[in-house]
Amino acid sequence: MATLLLAEHDNEKLNDATLRAANAAIQLGAEVHVLVAGQGCAAAGEAAAKIAGIAKVIVADDAAFANQLAEPIADLIVSMADGYDAFVAPATSNGKNTMPRVAALLDVMQLSDVTEVISADTFVRPIYAGNAFQKVQTSDVKKVLTVRTTTFEAVALDGSASVEAHGASVGNSVSSFVGAEIAGGDRVDLASAKIVISGGRALGSKDKFNELLEPLADKLGAALGASRAAVDAGFAPNDWQVGQTGKVVAPDLYIAIGISGAIQHLAGMKDSTIIVAINTDEDAPIFSIADYGLVADLFEAVPELTASI
Amino acid sequence: MKILVPVKRVVDYNVKIRAKADGSGVDLNNVKMSMNPFDEIAVEEALKLKEAGKAEEVIVVSIGPDKAQETLRTGLAMGADRAILVQAEGTIEPLDVAKILKGVVEAEGPDLVILGKQAIDDDANQTGQMLAALLGWGQGTFAFKVEMADGTVDVTREVDGGLQTVKLNLPAIITTDLRLNQPRYASLPNIMKAKKKPLDVKTPGDFGVEVKNRLTVLETTEPAARKAGIKVTSVAELVDKLKNEAGAI
Ligand SMILES: Cc1cc2nc3c(=O)[nH]c(=O)nc-3n(C[C@H](O)[C@H](O)[C@H](O)COP(=O)(O)OP(=O)(O)OC[C@H]3O[C@@H](n4cnc5c(N)ncnc54)[C@H](O)[C@@H]3O)c2cc1C
């Protein structure tokens, strides 16, 4: 049979997470169909058709799907379920919201945050903030998985799959969209950045956080991230939180500034290629995983670093 | 209105767990256990709604071993009115937990179920969404703010890129994110009082559920340790290493 991949998009383009989840979906071994659900999402459908290695794109264009609410999207996927034996989405906030709903309606267990596809029924996934990994085999006939995108490469965009429209509509009498505050700006996206600069509690204020870290990030073309303590204190927006319960990133270079290195933080960044830590406490746990540690006061070291690159 | 708050007994968030050398699982001997931190936030939110006059009763429920009574007592000491333990040993997968909770919901008739968004042991992040699906209710996951209105609740959610607000018809499911509130500590008098609060013990069978695991764990391993790095003594040395040794900038 086939695998259905739920695409994430802004009606125009797909995000990088979708291209990475496509890699995992293709590894399941069956034909992959990509579902683009939204309102006025034809352009995203065309973009999805270019994903290399997929067989077909299905565009479900309906007002009910405008804001990607879990209830109608899950109902849509379940209405198509007969033709599929696996359902895949990136483990983004949308994927995490929607896919367990799909799994429960299909009476199957979801495999969350899959980091490796061993075979069509066996997967590796992290537990305990990534301090252990489980190899799990599912006995469910239909598989539902969300994919940890940092461990899969994005597939190329040189394909030319066919695009078909999905006519049926679904209702939603239980939830409705009220509004969203989505940060715009041209800062590089945290999840797909090559370099991430993260600040912790030690920055002391939002002003200092921005004053010290933004120029460095600008110079390096980096995304900004933060520890939970920095987010809780209001220095940085919620979705900059890196960690077990925030974003998982694995850039080429991760610079942790004034972050102690709690296990929950390490869970979100320890697969980065090169890790740099700047901290006044030479015994801070972050140094145990840093390739380059600098014991220094960040208020002096960061401006100096910015000036010297 | 009643609020149901499911709570899970998990390894304390300060404990760094180890996988057993033979790959058979995680070593849980003598490790400190606590209420899942996201569930503490869920209990707190329910108590705040009760204190604001929006709810009459807060019921905590746990599905787990006999020892989960301690977790329920913690919820009672925080201020919940009564507790239900659905006794079950071993691993109970989120789908079965959701099915048991559906039975509890049908028996108790709450208008709101507030759960933690994920448990910090299996990190699955599924149970709330699954329960919402099984009940056919709306879901407000990863809640940052909860505002009750007449027959509806507005949930502002932490999503990629920022915040999203949804309106849910009651009854509904909410799952908590970290910044929803700061959970209270139980005071000593309240810990004493909690010992006398009602705690019912049930079984999955009482709710018509036969626990049946779908997943077989073949192996549990630790990730490869990162090789120890070095300390640099100056910003200049750091820049040099990043440029010439790592090629990272
Ligand atoms: C359920 C749960 C989930 C969690 N999820 C996450 C998560 O996803 N992500 C996350 O990050 N955390 C998470 N946490 C929180 C985590 O446990 C830590 O509390 C948090 O990461 C600490 O942030 P921090 O390192 O910025 O602050 P601190 O631990 O306070 O560290 C500040 C550091 O700054 C250093 N410092 C101070 N002054 C200076 C200076 N002038 N120059 C340089 N260094 C200085 C100090 O030596 C210290 O090491 C979670 C916790 C729980 C309970």
Side-chain angles (χ1 to χ4, degrees):
Chain A
M1 265 214 279
T3 296
L4 188 66
L5 168 68
L6 177 62
E8 212 168 286
H9 60 88
D10 60 2
N11 288 326
E12 305 287 325
K13 306 182 293 313
L14 302 176
N15 66 3
D16 182 64
T18 302
L19 303 181
R20 291 168 181 268
N23 187 338
I26 291 166
Q27 286 186 34
L28 293 177
E31 182 173 306
V32 175
H33 299 176
V34 178
L35 174 62
V36 176
Q39 187 181 25
C41 57
E46 292 302 325
K50 298 205 172 68
I51 300 177
I54 62 148
K56 179 161 85 175
V57 175
I58 301 164
V59 175
D61 197 328
D62 192 281
F65 310 132
N67 297 294
Q68 305 292 325
L69 296 188
E71 297 87 348
I73 303 262
D75 286 349
L76 169 68
I77 294 174
V78 171
S79 75
M80 301 166 65
D82 280 352
Y84 297 96
D85 44 21
F87 305 83
V88 177
T92 52
S93 54
N94 269 335
K96 290 176 185 172
N97 191 32
T98 305
M99 297 312 273
R101 205 169 164 108
V102 172
L105 293 172
L106 296 175
D107 193 32
V108 304
M109 265 297 293
Q110 172 181 282
L111 292 130
S112 303
D113 246 336
V114 166
T115 54
E116 199 183 328
V117 175
I118 307 277
S119 71
D121 68 1
T122 305
F123 308 91
V124 178
R125 61 171 303 267
I127 54 172
Y128 291 96
N131 284 306
F133 284 78
Q134 278 183 340
K135 189 195 282 182
V136 282
Q137 185 170 31
T138 174
S139 60
D140 284 321
V141 178
K142 292 194 189 286
K143 281 88 186 162
V144 174
L145 23 151
T146 62
V147 174
R148 174 165 290 194
T149 51
T150 50
T151 56
F152 294 89
E153 296 281 336
V155 299
L157 280 173
D158 56 6
S160 55
S162 61
V163 180
E164 111 188 0
H166 182 85
S169 170
V170 300
N172 176 12
S173 57
V174 291
S175 67
S176 57
F177 174 79
V178 177
E181 284 170 51
I182 303 295
D186 36 34
R187 176 77 48 215
V188 188
D189 173 42
L190 180 57
S192 50
K194 296 255 183 282
I195 302 181
V196 173
I197 317 274
S198 277
R201 191 198 309 272
L203 269 303
S205 70
K206 187 175 198 284
D207 288 348
K208 281 286 167 203
F209 192 99
N210 293 338
E211 180 190 319
L212 275 114
L213 303 191
E214 270 179 0
L216 180 59
D218 288 344
K219 267 210 162 163
L220 291 171
L224 285 171
S227 70
R228 174 187 174 186
V231 173
D232 285 0
F235 306 168
N238 297 326
D239 71 312
W240 289 13
Q241 180 179 311
V242 171
Q244 178 186 17
T245 56
K247 287 222 164 52
V248 177
V249 300
D252 297 341
L253 174 62
Y254 187 91
I255 308 185
I257 298 174
I259 292 178
S260 60
I263 46 179
Q264 293 85 7
H265 187 80
L266 303 187
M269 44 66 76
K270 68 179 175 207
D271 292 330
S272 305
T273 313
I274 298 286
I275 296 173
V276 171
I278 302 177
N279 196 305
T280 42
D281 173 8
E282 64 176 313
D283 297 322
I286 190 82
F287 287 128
S288 69
I289 63 148
D291 298 281
Y292 302 113
L294 177 63
V295 180
D297 184 342
L298 71 91
F299 295 99
E300 288 160 21
V302 173
E304 194 185 334
L305 179 60
T306 307
S308 54
I309 45 182
Chain B
M1 164 173 115
K2 280 189 205 176
I3 303 179
L4 186 71
V5 184
V7 296
K8 185 176 184 184
R9 180 176 186 266
V10 298
V11 171
D12 187 84
Y13 81 96
N14 276 314
V15 175
K16 182 166 182 335
I17 60 91
R18 302 222 57 119
K20 290 185 207 158
D22 64 0
S24 65
V26 163
D27 191 356
L28 296 181
N29 274 329
N30 299 317
V31 301
K32 183 176 176 214
M33 305 293 282
S34 299
M35 187 189 292
N36 178 40
F38 289 98
D39 304 347
E40 289 181 342
I41 297 171
V43 173
E44 177 66 34
E45 196 63 17
L47 295 175
K48 280 172 59 183
L49 289 170
K50 186 181 169 191
E51 285 157 4
K54 313 259 192 226
E56 285 81 51
E57 192 181 28
V58 175
I59 307 162
V60 284
V61 55
S62 192
I63 295 146
D66 200 40
K67 283 239 166 95
Q69 292 204 22
E70 291 167 13
T71 316
L72 289 167
R73 293 286 171 206
T74 304
L76 294 171
M78 286 173 75
D81 298 291
R82 60 189 172 90
I84 303 166
L85 172 67
V86 183
Q87 207 162 12
E89 296 295 329
T91 304
I92 304 121
E93 291 171 355
L95 182 63
D96 278 337
V97 172
K99 288 181 179 179
I100 295 167
L101 288 175
K102 176 173 184 261
V104 177
V105 165
E106 282 161 357
E108 294 288 345
D111 279 311
L112 209 52
V113 183
I114 311 182
L115 308 88
K117 77 165 178 181
Q118 76 192 67
I120 60 165
D121 50 2
D122 63 20
D123 283 333
N125 193 337
Q126 302 177 6
T127 306
Q129 297 88 316
M130 288 184 152
L131 178 60
L134 296 178
L135 291 164
W137 293 4
Q139 65 187 50
T141 53
F142 327 145
F144 174 76
K145 193 165 90 187
V146 170
E147 276 178 302
M148 301 295 300
D150 201 17
T152 62
V153 58
D154 279 7
V155 181
T156 300
R157 312 175 48 233
E158 292 200 19
V159 296
D160 295 338
L163 297 170
Q164 180 199 54
T165 304
V166 292
K167 186 180 288 298
L168 309 174
N169 292 341
L170 295 179
I173 302 288
I174 294 173
T175 76
T176 62
D177 216 318
L178 289 170
R179 281 162 283 275
L180 182 58
N181 61 49
Q182 184 66 50
R184 69 194 66 187
Y185 288 105
S187 67
L188 196 58
N190 285 343
I191 293 172
M192 301 311 291
K193 252 196 263 170
K195 295 193 172 144
K196 299 206 190 68
K197 289 185 180 174
L199 191 160
D200 278 352
V201 180
K202 304 272 193 190
T203 66
D206 293 340
F207 302 101
V209 178
E210 191 194 333
V211 172
K212 129 171 169 251
N213 286 346
R214 320 299 185 89
L215 307 182
T216 310
V217 179
L218 303 176
E219 192 180 26
T220 305
T221 50
E222 285 186 18
R226 279 188 85 94
K227 64 170 174 43
I230 58 160
K231 291 251 171 68
V232 292
T233 54
S234 66
V235 169
E237 188 187 351
L238 175 61
V239 173
D240 176 62
K241 293 278 185 203
L242 287 176
K243 279 197 175 138
N244 301 321
E245 191 175 89
I249 58 172

